[in-house]
C-alpha cells in the first residue's frame, strides 16, 4: 500500500513503516556518533513507555550509548494487511532489529503497563533474561488508566483549575491563532487525572521490583515531568496535569525512601517541551512550542528529543555526575528552555503573535514537521510514493 499521513485532530491515524524505522535509525545514529555516555554505565534498563517520544529516546541512549540490555513496555497497535500499525509498533521493531545487529539484548512487551498482569510478565522476563535492573525509566503518557485494584477506568483531562481560562492557542493544521475559553476541571476530573498520570503506578512498579529482589544495588529510577514557562502554567503546571505531576513528586519522595535499602535513587527529571503524541494534544502548548522552537533555534540552543535525553543521561544520570537539582530534589534539564534570554523573547512575542505573523515569530512549520516525523513522515531518504507492506519495516 502507499501510506500517506491521515491527520484527525491531534493524531495521525496512519504511520509509515519505513519512515518510522528511518526515524529510529536517525536517533540511534545520533547517539552512536555524538553521545558521550560511557559504555557499561547501565547494564539492564527497564523503560516503561518505550515506543515513542522521551521513552524511546531513553531506550536508545541506554542501549546504544551505554550498551545496556533494554526491556521495554508500551501499548501499541499491530498492523493488519490493510491497516498500518501505530508508529510505536514500528519504532519497537526497528529498535529491536538495530539492537540485534549490535548484539544488544532488546525485548519489548506490548500491553497495558498499568495492569498487574503486565507487571507479572515483566518480572518473569527480568528473572529469566536479565537478573536485576539498574535503571527504571518511567515515561508513560496515557489518557486512560484502568486501576489494577478496583478495575475502574479513569480518564485524564487537560483542563485549568478554578475558573474558565481565556488563552491564546493555534490550530496546528490551519495555522490560525485564536483565543479559546477552557472550562475548569471538576474535582472528579482532577482526581481522575492524578490517578492516570500521577505517581501511584510508578510506585507499584518499584514496589513490585523491590519485593521480587529484581533491583540491583544502587539502582536508579527516573520519571519524567514538565513544568515549563508561566505562559503555559494556567493550562499545564497549574492545571489538572500539574496536579498529576505534583503527585509524581510525592511518589518520588516515597520511592526514594524505599530505595534506601539498596542504596538506590529515585528522581523526577524536568524535561523540555517537545512535539510528541502526548504533547500535541495539549491546548496552548503547540503555540508556545512554535514560538519557543523559533527562539531557541535563533539563539542556538534548540535540542531535539534525542539530544535532550542524551544530555540527561550524560550530565545527570551516569555515576560520577553532579546532578542539577532544584529545591524539591528534581533533576532540571529544562534549563535551556527556561533560560532568561529565551523566555524573555518568547514572552515578548506572545502578545504580538497572530495568524498573519506566526510564520515570522514562530516555527509552526518545525512543529508540524516534528509532528509528522513521529508517524514516520517527512524523513529524508524515504520514498513515500513506493508501495510498502504495512507488516514489515524493511
Ligand atoms: P509519548 O506519547 O511519545 O509516549 C508515551 C509512551 O507511553 C508510549 O510508549 C506509549 O505506548 C506508552 N503508553 C501509554 N499508555 C500505556 C499503557 N497503558 N501501557 C503501556 N504503555 C503505555 O509521550 P512523551 O511525550 O514522550 O511523554 C513521556 C513522559 O515525558 C510523560 O510523563 C510526559 O509528561 C513527560 N514529558 C513530556 C514532554 C513533552 O513535551 N512531550 C515534556 C516534558 C515531560
Amino acid at each position: 500500500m502507499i501510506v500517506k499521513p491521515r491527520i484527525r485532530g491531534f493524531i495521525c491515524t496512519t504511520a509509515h513503516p519505513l519512515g518510522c524505522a528511518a526515524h529510529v535509525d536517525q536517533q540511534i545514529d545520533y547517539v552512536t556518533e555524538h553521545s558521550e555516555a560511557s559504555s557499561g554505565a547501565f547494564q539492564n534498563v527497564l523503560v516503561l513507555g518505550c515506543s515513542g517520544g522521551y521513552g524511546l529516546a531513553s531506550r536508545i541512549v541506554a542501549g546504544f550509548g551505554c550498551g545496556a540490555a533494554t526491556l521495554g513496555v508500551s501499548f501499541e497497535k499491530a498492523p493488519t494487511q490493510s491497516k498500518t500499525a501505530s508508529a510505536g509498533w514500528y519504532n519497537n521493531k526497528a529498535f529491536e532489529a538495530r539492537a540485534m545487529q549490535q548484539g544488544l539484548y532488546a525485548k519489548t512487551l506490548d500491553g497495558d503497563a498499568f495492569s498487574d498482569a503486565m507487571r507479572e510478565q515483566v518480572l518473569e522476563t527480568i528473572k529469566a533474561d536479565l537478573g536485576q535492573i539498574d535503571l527504571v525509566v518511567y515515561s508513560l503518557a496515557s489518557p486512560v488508566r484502568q486501576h489494577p485494584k478496583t478495575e475502574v477506568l479513569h480518564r485524564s483531562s487537560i483542563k485549568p483549575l478554578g475558573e474558565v481560562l481565556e488563552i491564546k492557542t493555534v490550530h496546528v493544521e490551519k495555522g490560525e491563532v485564536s483565543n479559546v475559553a477552557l472550562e475548569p476541571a471538576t474535582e472528579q476530573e482532577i482526581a481522575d487525572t492524578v490517578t492516570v498520570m500521577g505517581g501511584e503506578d510508578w510506585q507499584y512498579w518499584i514496589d513490585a521490583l523491590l519485593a521480587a529482589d529484581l533491583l540491583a544495588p544502587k539502582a536508579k529510577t527516573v520519571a519524567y515531568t514538565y513544568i515549563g514557562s508561566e505562559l503555559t502554567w494556567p493550562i499545564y503546571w497549574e492545571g489538572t496535569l500539574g496536579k498529576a505531576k505534583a503527585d509524581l513528586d510525592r511518589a518520588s519522595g516515597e520511592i526514594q525512601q524505599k530505595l534506601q535499602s539498596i542504596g538506590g535513587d529515585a528522581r523526577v527529571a524536568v524535561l523540555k517541551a517537545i512535539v510528541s503524541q502526548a504533547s500535541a494534544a495539549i491546548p496552548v502548548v503547540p503555540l508556545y512550542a512554535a514560538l519557543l522552537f523559533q527562539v531557541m533555534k535563533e539563539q542556538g540552543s534548540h535540542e531535539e528529543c534525542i539530544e535532550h535525553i542524551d544530555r540527561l543521561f550524560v550530565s545527570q544520570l551516569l555515576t560520577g555526575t553532579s546532578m542539577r537539582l532544584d529545591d524539591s530534589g528534581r533533576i532540571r534539564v529544562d534549563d535551556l528552555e527556561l533560560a532568561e534570554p529565551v523566555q524573555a523573547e518568547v514572552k515578548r512575542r506572545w502578545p504580538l503573535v497572530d495568524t498573519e505573523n506566526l510564520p515570522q515569530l514562530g516555527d509552526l512549520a518545525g512543529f508540524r514537521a516534528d509532528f509528522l516525523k513521529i508517524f514516520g513522515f517527512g524523513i529524508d531518504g524515504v520514498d513515500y510514493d513506493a508501495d510498502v507492506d504495512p507488516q514489515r519495516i524493511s
Side-chain angles (χ1 to χ4, degrees):
M1 74 170 66
I2 312 281
V3 184
K4 298 283 174 197
R6 205 176 302 146
I7 296 170
R8 300 262 179 283
F10 311 115
I11 58 157
C12 180
T13 58
T14 50
H16 199 283
L18 307 186
C20 288
H23 191 212
V24 171
D25 277 350
Q26 280 183 352
Q27 296 182 70
I28 292 174
D29 290 346
Y30 172 84
V31 169
T32 312
E33 285 160 27
H34 301 284
S35 178
E36 289 175 12
S38 34
S39 176
F42 293 110
Q43 308 283 330
N44 296 317
V45 175
L46 171 63
V47 182
L48 301 164
C50 66
S51 60
Y54 279 134
L56 174 61
S58 304
R59 190 177 195 187
I60 290 173
V61 177
F64 290 85
C66 306
T70 59
L71 175 60
V73 180
S74 64
F75 208 176
E76 299 296 339
K77 240 190 238 134
T80 64
Q81 266 179 346
S82 57
K83 259 188 116 185
T84 66
S86 57
W89 192 88
Y90 294 127
N91 293 342
N92 289 337
K93 293 286 170 237
F95 180 89
E96 287 166 3
R98 281 288 299 266
M100 202 159 88
Q101 280 171 12
Q102 199 80 20
L104 289 170
Y105 172 99
K107 194 177 263 186
T108 310
L109 301 175
D110 234 324
D112 184 5
F114 296 131
S115 69
D116 286 338
M118 176 53 81
R119 247 185 296 278
E120 206 40 56
Q121 215 185 323
V122 167
L123 299 188
E124 290 309 317
T125 306
I126 297 169
K127 277 181 211 160
D129 297 357
L130 300 170
Q132 286 186 317
I133 295 290
D134 50 7
L135 174 67
V136 180
V137 175
Y138 190 86
S139 188
L140 295 178
S142 172
V144 291
R145 173 179 175 217
Q146 178 156 32
H147 198 283
K149 312 285 179 237
T150 63
E151 295 191 355
V152 173
L153 187 72
H154 298 269
R155 280 180 199 286
S156 65
S157 312
I158 305 172
K159 290 191 171 182
L161 303 187
E163 46 197 60
V164 175
L165 171 67
E166 297 252 1
I167 193 161
K168 239 179 193 178
T169 191
V170 66
H171 188 292
V172 174
E173 271 180 89
K174 295 182 186 157
E176 286 169 8
V177 177
S178 63
N179 277 319
V180 280
L182 302 169
E183 289 296 321
T186 63
E187 288 302 320
Q188 188 59 48
E189 286 172 327
I190 298 169
D192 282 336
T193 308
V194 172
T195 305
V196 178
M197 285 295 288
E200 183 184 62
D201 182 62
W202 183 25
Q203 290 181 282
Y204 285 178
W205 274 102
I206 302 300
D207 285 349
L209 289 161
L210 265 180
D213 196 22
L214 296 178
L215 289 181
K218 299 195 178 155
K220 293 183 180 182
T221 182
V222 63
Y224 296 149
T225 198
Y226 182 65
I227 294 178
S229 144
E230 286 101 315
L231 293 170
T232 57
W233 282 358
I235 187 62
Y236 196 95
W237 188 244
E238 294 172 348
T240 46
L241 286 173
K243 284 279 181 201
K245 293 302 193 184
D247 188 64
L248 202 64
D249 289 333
R250 173 202 58 76
S252 171
E254 291 182 20
I255 295 171
Q256 179 80 309
Q257 291 283 326
K258 287 198 181 154
L259 289 187
Q260 277 181 4
S261 61
I262 57 161
D265 194 35
R267 298 282 163 191
V268 163
V270 191
L271 305 182
K272 76 177 285 255
I274 53 154
V275 185
S276 73
Q277 290 200 44
S279 69
I282 306 173
V284 189
V285 165
L287 182 60
Y288 168 75
L291 296 187
L292 177 77
F293 293 174
Q294 176 88 339
V295 170
M296 290 184 84
K297 283 175 185 174
E298 285 169 9
Q299 296 188 8
S301 59
H302 184 74
E303 286 173 315
E304 301 289 342
C305 175
I306 191 71
E307 298 170 77
H308 191 58
I309 290 297
D310 186 52
R311 183 161 69 89
L312 169 73
F313 270 67
V314 171
S315 74
Q316 306 292 306
L317 294 183
L318 301 189
T319 312
T321 53
S322 60
M323 287 189 281
R324 188 185 312 104
L325 301 179
D326 65 16
D327 293 346
S328 305
R330 306 182 197 100
I331 296 173
R332 302 303 294 248
V333 276
D334 57 345
D335 51 329
L336 299 181
E337 171 175 347
L338 297 187
E340 207 277 327
V342 170
Q343 285 301 317
E345 184 54 24
V346 175
K347 284 176 194 159
R348 188 188 70 77
R349 295 181 190 193
W350 186 261
L352 305 176
V353 70
D354 58 25
T355 306
E356 279 67 45
N357 64 22
L358 178 57
Q360 286 79 50
L361 297 185
D363 185 23
L364 186 63
F367 186 96
R368 285 180 180 141
D370 284 359
F371 180 76
L372 286 173
K373 274 188 194 164
I374 296 172
F375 303 94
F377 297 106
I379 310 283
D380 286 346
V382 177
D383 179 359
Y384 291 100
D385 295 319
D387 206 1
V388 292
D389 178 347
Q391 294 174 306
R392 290 175 58 90
I393 55 157
S394 60

